């Protein structure tokens, strides 16, 4: 019998066939495990897709509701706006719109003369201001105004002063906040603190405004 030289190609083809047959046999013997694993993968893909779609739909819904609430607020319909902001903050409390809705609830309460509620709502928003800081300065100013309305001048003055020292947006309001802090300290009979604030304000002013502060300081020191 004559021997035939085995070529490298034949060896490769034979190895491929053998490996394929072995793999097929392994899959056939373990088809239950493979099927279960495939089911798990399919379920995971469907779940991720569903969660992603749900988030998109929720984002669209909260954005639409927030826009409607802002429309009512800008029209001066505070009752409707407050109801909408309350609904948004309750249902979407962790979202940006949900947090901003808490701030606007404070604005509505302040506009309707419910100062205690306004203070609580501004404080609630300020707890999240590190993550959503857009209305942080306005919330502090609103809280100070509500405190003034409640004749809690000492605390109002401190809020104004803290705001002036840590202002994030609208830095041109710094002098206004310092002036209000000084006025509130005077109303609270804290003349020394009022003088300290006015002295700081004096460094930021010029012209007739500076002259008026100098006159006020002279009166307070007399």
């Amino acid at each position: 019998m004559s021997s035939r030289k085995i070529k490298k190609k034949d060896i490769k083809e034979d190895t491929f066939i053998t490996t394929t047959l072995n793999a097929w046999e392994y899959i056939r013997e373990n088809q239950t495990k493979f099927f279960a694993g495939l089911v798990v993968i399919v379920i995971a893909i469907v779940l991720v897709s569903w969660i992603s779609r749900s988030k998109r739909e929720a984002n669209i819904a909260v954005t639409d509701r927030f826009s409607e609430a802002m429309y009512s607020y800008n029209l001066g319909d505070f009752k409707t706006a407050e109801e909408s902001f309350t609904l948004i903050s309750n249902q979407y409390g962790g979202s940006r719109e949900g947090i901003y809705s808490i701030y606007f609830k404070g604005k509505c309460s302040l506009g309707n003369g419910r100062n205690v509620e306004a203070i609580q709502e501004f404080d609630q928003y300020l707890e999240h201001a590190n993550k959503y800081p857009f209305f942080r300065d306005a919330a502090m100013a609103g809280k100070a105004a509500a405190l003034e309305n409640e004749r809690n001048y000492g605390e109002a003055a401190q809020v104004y002063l803290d705001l002036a020292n840590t202002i994030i947006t609208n830095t041109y309001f710094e002098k206004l906040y310092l002036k209000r802090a000084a006025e509130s300290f005077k109303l609270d009979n804290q003349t020394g603190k009022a003088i300290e604030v006015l002295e700081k304000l004096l460094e930021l002013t010029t012209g007739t405004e500076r002259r008026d502060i100098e006159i006020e300081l002279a009166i307070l020191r007399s």
Side-chain angles (χ1 to χ4, degrees):
M1 180 180 293
S2 60
S3 60
R4 183 170 63 89
K5 186 176 181 181
I6 300 175
K7 297 180 180 180
K8 291 183 178 180
K9 181 180 178 182
D10 296 331
I11 295 174
K12 289 181 179 179
E13 289 178 351
D14 185 66
T15 303
F16 173 76
I17 293 172
T18 301
T19 302
T20 303
L21 290 174
N22 289 337
W24 174 253
E25 184 66 21
Y26 179 81
I27 292 172
R28 188 180 65 81
E29 293 176 355
N30 297 274
Q31 57 183 334
T32 303
K33 294 180 181 178
F34 277 101
F35 180 74
L38 181 61
V39 170
V40 171
I41 292 173
V42 171
I43 291 175
I45 292 173
V46 171
L47 183 61
V48 170
S49 177
W50 179 80
I51 292 173
S52 178
R53 185 179 66 182
S54 296
K55 286 183 177 179
R56 287 196 300 270
E57 291 175 351
N59 288 337
I60 293 172
V62 69
T63 300
D64 289 345
R65 290 186 178 183
F66 186 76
S67 297
E68 292 171 0
M70 287 300 302
Y71 180 75
S72 298
Y73 178 84
N74 290 330
L75 287 178
D77 184 0
F78 295 139
K79 184 178 184 298
T80 301
E82 187 171 9
E83 290 174 352
S84 298
F85 288 132
T86 299
L87 180 64
I88 295 169
S89 63
N90 288 339
Q91 291 187 348
Y92 307 95
S95 68
R96 178 187 60 184
E97 289 80 3
I99 300 303
Y100 287 165
S101 291
I102 298 172
Y103 162 75
F104 280 103
K105 282 172 60 181
K107 292 282 289 182
C108 291
S109 295
L110 183 62
N112 288 322
R114 303 195 312 272
N115 298 300
V116 174
E117 289 182 31
I119 293 168
Q120 293 172 345
E121 287 156 348
F122 287 135
D123 279 338
Q124 188 179 355
Y125 165 75
L126 289 169
E127 291 176 1
H128 303 276
N130 287 336
K131 188 175 182 181
Y132 300 108
F134 190 80
F135 296 107
R136 181 260 187 187
D137 292 354
M140 290 186 70
K143 177 182 178 180
L147 288 166
E148 284 180 320
N149 293 341
E150 290 295 298
R151 300 183 183 277
N152 192 342
Y153 299 116
E155 191 173 350
Q158 192 58 54
V159 173
Y160 278 130
L161 184 58
D162 291 342
L163 175 55
N165 291 333
T166 61
I167 195 168
I168 297 176
T169 58
N170 299 332
T171 54
Y172 51 87
F173 283 144
E174 180 184 3
K175 292 192 295 183
L176 174 62
Y177 295 143
L178 287 173
K179 184 176 181 180
R180 289 186 175 177
E183 291 173 352
S184 292
F185 276 132
K186 286 191 296 181
L187 290 170
D188 199 49
N189 295 319
Q190 298 189 58
T191 305
K193 288 189 176 181
I195 290 173
E196 291 178 7
V197 175
L198 287 172
E199 287 175 340
K200 183 175 182 179
L201 182 59
L202 189 66
E203 299 173 0
L204 304 175
T205 56
T206 57
T208 57
E209 186 179 8
R210 180 182 178 88
R211 184 197 61 193
D212 292 341
I213 295 173
E214 288 175 338
I215 293 173
E216 187 173 2
L217 279 170
I219 294 172
L220 289 174
R221 289 168 178 159
S222 60

